[in-house]
């Protein structure tokens, strides 16, 4: 095991990044069956655990080298398989930034330790992180944000929270369409299984790690269906955890509270976009985004990484802080059942921080004692392995954390009674709303009517206001007469008639009720 | 004028809220022609300017009373017309929360001074603020966030920034659909005229108020079409303002920077949701959301309000801080051409704050000198009218601000060459992706093919990964053969065939190129 890692440390990184680790491959067959998330801790494992490893771009290789040195010196039993991801893969013509062979390694090891990568500028490149998270079903993004006052400058010395971010859906579905000259659209998708999984994960995590409170953040005063679903799942699932305190915040004022008084929070759970923004806020105000790790957890696999990017301009200078990636390695060790090693690394790191051995990003004259580079920082942590912090609280992974828990993929639920009641047809037009209303009404054959037209969600027909600014993108809502249903044959007829009338329809959204409840929002002003 | 206002102060608020001000009506005809945004300042106006006024819900009436007392004592020439909005209007069965007559007043006065309102819990109520903003085309939400250290506790003593938030579109279009058992959707709409207007407003505002830098926040690394458009408009329009410094931040790390180092920012411009969240963050870390005003500006009308809510539990206690609404009144005075009065009120308010006369929300033992209620705070400001702050910088509206500027509604732009190349059909199914692919391919007649199927944006056919979690909501992308076009007749045929095959399609999104550029995103992993 040591030989394997030492080989990597002394090799040229460029070569390593693009060459699979044959040494690691040899160990793989032995322990393949060992790996799945949340296994019971098997201490002092004699067999190295295979992990998939990517050195990434920019500062990635140097912080990965530093992190692996520390993990290895602490006795982590790891058998890494190297894969190619990132800039070179993108530029070779793979728009996903990850080679097909890489998926096989990930499927085999089920654990991915990943340095930051660079997505090339320009169109057509999909976010690798989003692709990996979603393809592997890594639905939970876990981001602990802790302040280390007075050793790392922060305005929030008592901060110790964990953000549990939904990781697969929301606007990150990446489904965008431009359909008129004026209007571009992105779909925000929120799903019941997604909401159930992430909320349950947050409550289970809070219990397993001895946390007391779970706070949910949404904007369900505006997005009553999508964010409303997330909030509802939080309430429903939270009821099964009477031992935990629960609260809900509207995202705007919740974010304000978090930015000002982070010590008021413990575990936070929220949809993807809010979690993306607020986990960066929380990490930054704790001290530095350079210190924050993250875990991406799914039922099959898990990925561990720093939250910061690849900082291409600082690459190769031996100045980057490896702490985020190293602490992600600590989370990985807990995950794969090596909490003793995790504890050893984490406490040595805390001791290094409180000894004032700091990389440039957190170095402060008068507080720090020694400014070091990336590799010297790793050496300082290694020199402290076995020590514990004196002023900061030491971590105890064996006692309180790493307790296995599992989250069901989705609750069994009978399908709702879905009835179609109408359709929203979106039209591209520069005509007046009265002209559009007159035209599309001519396409109606049957017992339904044009109920309203909105522009950017605002009702502009009937009885619109002349002050409402209108784009070239009109939603025409057709509703079945009271007590009647709409059906797909009517959709086909309506669209055929609109087509023959020369109406430039660009998209449709069917309107349904579910168990009698409308599955669609009203127009603003309706 | 004085008589009118004093009448209100001594009346029962409940009666006033539901009774139009007949006195104000009398003045209205005289000065109707005077009112439109950004008129040149006419100092010492002899004729009161009509404004529409709503006392709102919760703490609304008491803070509005306090604010009007100060404005009136300072010599503001206002002729208010009262309208009904909020909780009682909602509960009377009006889902928009604003009575039809109210629109007439708003259209007449073009200026709305609004106390916070309460939206009742439960479904079906649309946000009044969103409705008013969008119906009246109030596209720019202006939120100055200033810290008042050491008089108001803050961790950010050097903060003085203005957030210019796009106010009409984004996810706040409020267009939501549930179309399967699992999946709920909200449309994020971003438009070219919307992006152009708000970015130009930000640059014009920066110039008019002597600001130096404009920072744009988007998430265009993920949302390349929608947020990409916002960023592009920022760059294009910014090029016309060489005197101003410009920068762009990805929203997550930008938010982190703002929360940690707000003094690094000057004017910020961003889409609606980001602006909603970050303006609350900025206001809170400056000292209190209770101090922050906001203006909502459009080509026809403008609305001025505090950023905080109606706090129903604190209503009627004479304890709320009227500062947010009062400072919104200051912005209103600048807007309607009374900058001298605005300056007088603002400087007296600053003097009150630095004298330590504080309401409960900002009272700190040892810093504050006197804890006062809502009305006593107003009296303290009135007592200081004509004075200026000694430690805090006095404001100067006459010299640097209120310079009229206008923003064109939208740039003239020739329509792009739009060509249809395919369609995304979204299908509700609990079958396997292979079964779905087989079924929908049977509906194809013509020279196009099923190019991919995604689930929550992740490509699952062809060549999906077994680890990808799938909901019951599948996007089937049909693309025309190379060099061929798709057309609406093909849409009708495809949907008719799908209908006959029993495929439960729930929505469509047409795929277009614009001047040859694809107007749609790839699937993740595609």
């Amino acid at each position: 095991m040591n030989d394997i890692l030492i080989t990597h440390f002394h090799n040229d990184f460029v070569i390593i990044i693009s060459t699979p680790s044959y040494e690691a491959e040899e160990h793989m067959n032995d322990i393949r069956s060992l790996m799945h998330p949340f296994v019971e801790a098997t201490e002092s494992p004699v067999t190295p655990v295979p992990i998939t490893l990517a050195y990434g771009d920019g500062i990635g290789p140097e912080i990965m080298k530093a992190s692996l040195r520390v993990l290895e010196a602490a006795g982590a039993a790891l058998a890494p398989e190297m894969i190619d991801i990132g800039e070179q893969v993108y530029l070779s013509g793979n728009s996903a930034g990850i080679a097909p062979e890489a998926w096989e390694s990930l499927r085999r090891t089920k654990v991915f330790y990943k340095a930051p990568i660079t997505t090339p500028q320009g169109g057509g490149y999909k976010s690798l992180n989003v692709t990996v998270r979603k393809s592997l079903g890594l639905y939970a993004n876990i981001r602990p944000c802790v302040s280390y006052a007075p050793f790392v400058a922060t305005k929030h010395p008592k901060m110790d929270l964990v953000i549990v971010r939904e990781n697969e859906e929301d606007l990150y579905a990446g489904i965008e369409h431009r359909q008129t000259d004026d209007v571009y659209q992105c779909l925000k998708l929120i799903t019941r299984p997604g909401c159930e999984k992430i909320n349950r994960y947050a409550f289970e995590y809070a219990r397993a790690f001895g946390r007391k409170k779970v706070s949910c953040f949404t904007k369900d005063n505006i997005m009553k269906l999508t964010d409303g679903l997330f909030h509802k799942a939080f309430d429903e699932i939270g009821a099964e955890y009477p031992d935990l305190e629960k609260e809900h915040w509207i995202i705007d004022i919740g974010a304000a509270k978090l930015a000002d008084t982070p010590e008021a929070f413990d575990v936070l759970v929220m949809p993807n976009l809010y979690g993306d923004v607020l986990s960066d806020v929380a990490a930054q105000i704790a001290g530095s985004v350079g210190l924050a790790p993250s875990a991406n957890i799914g039922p099959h696999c898990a990925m561990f990484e720093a939250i910061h990017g690849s900082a291409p301009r600082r690459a190769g200078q031996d100045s980057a802080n490896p702490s985020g990636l190293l602490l992600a390695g600590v989370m990985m060790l807990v995950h794969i059942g090596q909490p003793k090693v995790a504890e050893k690394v984490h406490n040595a790191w805390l001791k290094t921080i409180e000894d004032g051995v700091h990389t440039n990003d957190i170095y402060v004259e008068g507080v720090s004692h020694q400014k070091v580079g990336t590799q010297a920082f790793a050496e300082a942590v290694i020199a402290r392995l076995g020590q514990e912090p004196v002023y900061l609280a030491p971590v105890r992974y064996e006692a309180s954390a790493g307790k296995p828990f599992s989250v069901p993929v989705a609750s069994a639920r009978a399908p709702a009674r879905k009835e179609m009641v109408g359709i929203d047809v979106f039209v591209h037009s520069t005509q007046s709303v009265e002209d559009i209303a007159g035209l599309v009404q001519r396409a109606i054959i049957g017992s339904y009517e044009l109920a309203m037209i909105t522009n950017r969600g605002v009702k502009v027909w009937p009885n619109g206001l002349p002050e409402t600014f209108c784009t070239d993108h009109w939603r025409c809502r057709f509703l079945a007469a009271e007590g009647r249903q709409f059906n797909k044959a009517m959709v086909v007829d309506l669209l055929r008639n609109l087509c023959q009338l020369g109406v430039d329809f660009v998209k449709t959204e069917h309107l349904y009720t579910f168990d009698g409840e409308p599955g669609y929002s009203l127009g603003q002003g309706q």
Side-chain angles (χ1 to χ4, degrees), chain A residues 100-256:
Chain A
E101 316 82 76
W103 293 112
E104 293 162 29
S105 171
L106 291 170
R107 188 169 298 127
R108 210 159 39 223
T109 69
K110 303 184 193 312
V111 180
F112 189 13
Y113 192 31
K114 176 183 159 294
I117 61 131
T118 303
T119 307
Q121 292 294 309
Y125 300 113
K126 303 295 290 185
S127 160
L128 170 70
N129 264 19
V130 176
T131 298
V132 169
R133 287 173 189 166
K134 293 181 61 173
S135 297
L136 296 179
L138 309 181
Y139 64 86
N141 185 223
I142 315 303
R143 298 199 179 184
C145 298
V146 183
S147 56
Y148 306 99
F151 308 105
V152 178
T154 175
K155 300 185 180 82
H156 308 278
K158 291 178 180 172
M159 185 170 172
D160 180 5
L161 58 85
V162 178
I163 293 183
V164 177
R165 166 188 171 192
E166 198 289 317
N167 215 18
E168 295 184 281
E169 44 194 52
D170 197 351
L171 291 152
Y172 294 69
I175 306 176
E176 293 189 286
H177 295 90
R178 176 187 181 189
Q179 297 178 327
T180 72
D181 282 303
D182 284 350
V183 178
Y184 298 63
Q185 171 193 278
C186 184
L187 299 186
K188 167 172 170 153
L189 299 181
I190 299 285
T191 77
R192 176 169 286 282
C195 291
E196 288 181 353
K197 274 189 296 184
I198 195 65
N199 278 293
R200 189 169 296 281
Y201 189 95
F203 286 113
E204 288 290 336
Y205 179 96
R207 261 195 195 157
F209 287 78
R211 301 274 179 169
K212 305 297 177 211
K213 182 170 78 168
V214 182
S215 308
C216 176
F217 281 32
T218 75
K219 185 78 189 176
D220 69 341
N221 56 337
I222 296 290
M223 286 169 270
K224 295 176 199 290
L225 292 184
T226 50
D227 281 16
L229 176 66
F230 195 98
H231 186 175
K232 193 172 166 205
F234 174 80
D235 287 345
E236 286 175 1
I237 291 164
E240 299 174 33
Y241 299 82
D243 48 316
L244 294 169
E245 193 186 335
K246 292 164 283 281
E247 62 180 16
H248 176 265
W249 291 77
I250 297 292
I251 177 68
D252 45 5
I253 193 66

